[in-house]
Amino acid sequence: MVRVNIIGTGKVGRTLMMLFGASQHVEVIDVLARTPENVDRAVAQTGVGRAVHDLADMRAADVWILSVPDDAIADVAQGLAETVVPTEGAVAVHCSGFLSSEVLAPLRSEGWAIASCHPVLSFADPVIAARMFPRICCAVEGDEGAVAVVSDLVRLLEATPFVVDTAQKALYHAAAVFSNNFTTVMQAVAREAWEAAGVSPEIADRLGSTLLDGTAEAVAQLGPAAALTGPAARGDREVMEKQQAEVAAWHPEAGALYEALSALAVRLKATGMTRP
């Protein structure tokens, strides 16, 4: 049985609380949040852990999870280092995709092992995220012993851990932003363009869903270069130039994006890579 403390009850924290609560191998000991109202609500909703209102009141645990916003991690780590004496082998882990485990360095000097664990998943809704979690991958990096402990914890939740280079954590996270967040932005641009072209919202929804589903399946099966279609893949420069001008007249920023992505698409089809 792995004993876990959780600091932070936002969407990631509540998702983890639900997952741990459903596991026979993990026990949530104490939960702390920025405000008493937040932690009381999270514990009441999930039925997991004991709500505490002060860091000094948290009991011993094997793994301490800091599921707080990126800009709060360093302060929480410093407070933990100054307040809590770790038990032997205690691990502190944060969930940021951008920051490396080194943001927890004050804890290492106090005897903690440190790591980061970034579940590659959208946490827009904790219930949906908890349901999808067993199918996802989690990026792990940090001290060797902490990585082993956190990787085992990820496996207990039926997800797949993988190790990333601590020095390249920001680039790793940027890749996730391209794969997920910017894809969402592209869907918004497409729907706005369809609307401007007179397509009804209902049909635009169907078009976006069909194209996105087909693209995801093709990329998964064939890889990006083979899955790429459209004027850039065909090398139809006249279409690209005229279409870019039309887009730029409608939405200058989208026009610049169309031009840049078309150049990358041409290179991808020709060489299998977007980088020169």
Side-chain angles (χ1 to χ4, degrees), residues 2 16 30-31 53 64 84 89 91 114 126 158 193 203 217 223 239 274:
V2 181
L16 293 175
D30 290 330
V31 183
H53 299 158
W64 295 61
V84 177
V91 171
I114 61 174
E158 301 181 27
I203 294 298
E217 184 174 354
V239 169
T274 62

Side-chain angles (χ1 to χ4, degrees), residues 66-210:
L66 282 62
S67 58
V68 298
D70 286 15
D71 59 4
I73 292 175
D75 288 342
V76 173
Q78 186 62 46
L80 193 57
E82 295 172 354
T83 306
V84 177
V85 177
T87 55
E88 184 176 356
V91 171
V93 54
H94 71 70
C95 301
S96 169
F98 174 72
L99 296 172
S100 80
S101 56
E102 288 304 310
V103 72
L104 303 179
L107 289 164
R108 182 192 283 133
S109 61
E110 297 297 326
W112 299 74
I114 61 174
S116 76
C117 177
H118 177 238
V120 187
L121 177 66
S122 172
F123 286 89
D125 183 287
V127 174
I128 295 174
R131 185 169 65 245
M132 295 182 63
F133 203 94
R135 304 198 301 271
I136 72 165
C137 299
C138 298
V140 184
E141 58 81 29
D143 297 340
E144 183 177 356
V147 166
V149 170
V150 173
S151 295
D152 286 344
L153 185 59
V154 168
R155 294 187 188 98
L156 288 177
L157 299 179
E158 301 181 27
T160 302
F162 66 98
V163 176
V164 296
D165 184 348
T166 298
Q168 297 296 331
K169 186 75 182 293
L171 184 59
Y172 147 79
H173 189 252
V177 171
F178 274 103
S179 182
N180 181 17
N181 307 122
F182 289 164
T183 298
T184 303
V185 175
M186 293 296 97
Q187 293 303 302
V189 172
R191 294 189 185 207
E192 291 168 21
W194 276 320
E195 180 183 1
V199 178
S200 71
E202 294 77 14
I203 294 298
D205 286 346
R206 291 179 60 183
L207 291 173
S209 296
T210 301

